[in-house]
Amino acid sequence: MSSTKSVAQMKPGEVAIIAGFKDEYISVKLMEMGCLPGVPVRFNFTAPFGDPICISVSGYELSLRLEEAATISIVQ
């Protein structure tokens, strides 16, 4: 059984499927922005100092802080 991975642990170019969320409060905001369970997410790049990151989800690009990205569980 593999451990749960989050969007914050993805590498540039990697694609995964959103499985769920670890923080109920932040999940509401993320779902309003298109981060829904079952939706593919692509990790595009990290800002020069490592935070924030840029992902593609639901047809657009989204910048997230690492602490927010860490609350999004993924499956490969």
Side-chain angles (χ1 to χ4, degrees), residues 20-32 35 67-68 70-73:
F21 304 95
K22 298 174 186 168
D23 183 301
E24 187 177 332
Y25 177 74
I26 295 174
S27 71
V28 173
K29 178 178 134 182
L30 293 169
M31 286 191 288
E32 288 173 348
C35 295
E67 65 185 57
E68 294 168 330
T71 69
I72 306 171
S73 301

Side-chain angles (χ1 to χ4, degrees), residues 3-11 14 22 43 66 69-70 74:
S3 62
T4 305
K5 192 172 175 184
S6 75
V7 170
Q9 297 168 303
M10 293 173 71
K11 307 235 182 301
E14 191 175 349
K22 298 174 186 168
F43 190 104
L66 279 178
I74 57 168

